[in-house]
Amino acid sequence: GKIDKNLVVHISLRAKKYDEYVHNFLKNSPYGAIVNIGCGLDTRFWRIDNGKTNFYDLDLPEVIEIKKKLCQEEERYHMIPSSVLDYTWMTDILESNKGPFLFIAEGVFMYLNRQDVVALVLELQKQFPGSELACEVVNDLWLRKPMKAFLNVKMQKQFHLGRGATFNFGIKDSKEMESWGSGIKFLDDWSYFDSHEKKLGWLQFLGKIEAFRKTQWTVHYKLN
């Protein structure tokens, strides 16, 4: 189906912001490693490459199979065909890289179950102490009736994301993950409205209301 034009604008703004997260990370850790969780057909490595970083694209095997027809692995660019919930991919990365690490996850966690997201973040903290995580989240208010039914219609009918597309995980506020384990530190957050992009049209005005600004947004943590 056709993707809604407004959704294209949002995805572009998000990609630009996540590029910025990577650039800022590499300024302080030029030899650091980036792990792009749920990469899809994203081409971030060629946008951000500083000639020193190691970059890992992680997604389901069927997605990576398609991506390998379009992109070629390089000495510092690697594709990993795996579910993010199959932790063996962590071992593979640790065997070839000492870090430090930045994990980014655009439009991924909200589709997973809550217990899986909590377990994943704690495992990242355990296996990659001192790493950073930037991930997109949704307000858990949208997971409750009748809001979830409204959201499902919007995603499946208006945005054409496919039958059955729905959100399963959300948080109450940006600092919630700090309560999941000792040492998890909130750094900052970002909302689409923070970009002040004119193409957002009248939606820009909703960004002045905190409840709307934190409908779907990104949180950035240090996993100490």
Side-chain angles (χ1 to χ4, degrees):
K2 294 183 178 179
I3 299 297
D4 186 280
K5 291 182 179 179
N6 291 322
L7 185 60
V8 173
V9 172
H10 280 74
I11 292 174
S12 299
L13 291 174
R14 183 179 69 189
K16 182 179 180 181
K17 179 60 182 180
Y18 278 65
D19 282 358
E20 183 180 316
Y21 278 123
V22 176
H23 280 303
N24 290 339
F25 176 80
L26 292 178
K27 283 181 181 179
N28 297 319
S29 304
Y31 289 93
I34 312 298
V35 181
N36 192 10
I37 297 172
C39 63
L41 301 182
D42 181 71
T43 56
R44 175 163 289 114
F45 171 72
W46 292 276
R47 298 198 300 271
I48 61 85
D49 183 26
N50 64 352
K52 302 173 183 177
T53 183
N54 278 291
F55 196 99
Y56 300 87
D57 266 342
L58 172 71
D59 212 320
L60 296 172
E62 54 266 37
V63 177
I64 295 299
E65 182 180 357
I66 295 173
K67 190 161 191 174
K68 284 187 175 181
K69 296 178 181 179
L70 305 171
C71 304
Q72 298 294 322
E73 289 187 288
E74 302 179 11
E75 183 180 359
R76 293 179 294 100
Y77 170 65
H78 319 274
M79 286 183 267
I80 303 176
S82 172
S83 164
V84 69
L85 302 179
D86 178 1
Y87 297 162
T88 55
W89 65 265
M90 298 184 186
T91 302
D92 294 340
I93 290 179
L94 285 170
E95 288 178 350
S96 60
N97 203 288
K98 296 181 179 179
F101 296 90
L102 167 64
F103 297 90
I104 52 177
E106 300 174 67
V108 179
F109 286 3
M110 61 273 285
Y111 294 102
L112 304 177
N113 294 321
R114 181 178 179 84
Q115 62 268 25
D116 290 331
V117 177
V118 174
L120 173 61
V121 171
L122 293 179
E123 189 66 20
L124 289 176
Q125 182 188 24
K126 176 183 177 181
Q127 298 293 340
F128 306 90
S131 61
E132 293 183 28
L133 169 67
C135 59
E136 191 172 22
V137 293
V138 66
N139 195 306
D140 65 359
L141 289 174
W142 288 95
L143 305 183
R144 306 173 190 176
K145 296 180 180 179
M147 302 299 287
K148 186 167 184 178
F150 170 77
L151 179 64
N152 289 345
V153 170
K154 193 174 184 66
M155 293 173 64
Q156 298 169 22
K157 302 293 184 180
Q158 181 180 345
F159 290 159
H160 301 283
L161 296 182
R163 182 182 299 177
T166 189
F167 289 161
N168 299 305
F169 162 74
I171 61 177
K172 293 181 176 62
D173 59 66
S174 294
K175 293 188 176 183
E176 181 178 319
M177 290 187 190
E178 287 188 329
S179 67
W180 293 359
S182 176
I184 299 178
K185 181 182 178 182
F186 169 74
L187 298 178
D188 54 72
D189 58 20
W190 172 84
S191 168
Y192 295 95
F193 300 109
D194 296 338
S195 64
H196 304 294
E197 171 57 54
K198 293 182 179 180
K199 289 183 179 180
L200 289 176
W202 62 269
L203 289 175
Q204 295 181 80
F205 299 102
L206 293 179
K208 298 179 180 180
I209 305 173
E210 188 67 8
F212 285 101
R213 179 178 176 270
K214 295 293 181 63
T215 297
Q216 188 171 336
W217 76 109
T218 289
V219 289
H220 181 202
Y221 283 89
K222 183 86 168 181
L223 305 180
N224 294 316

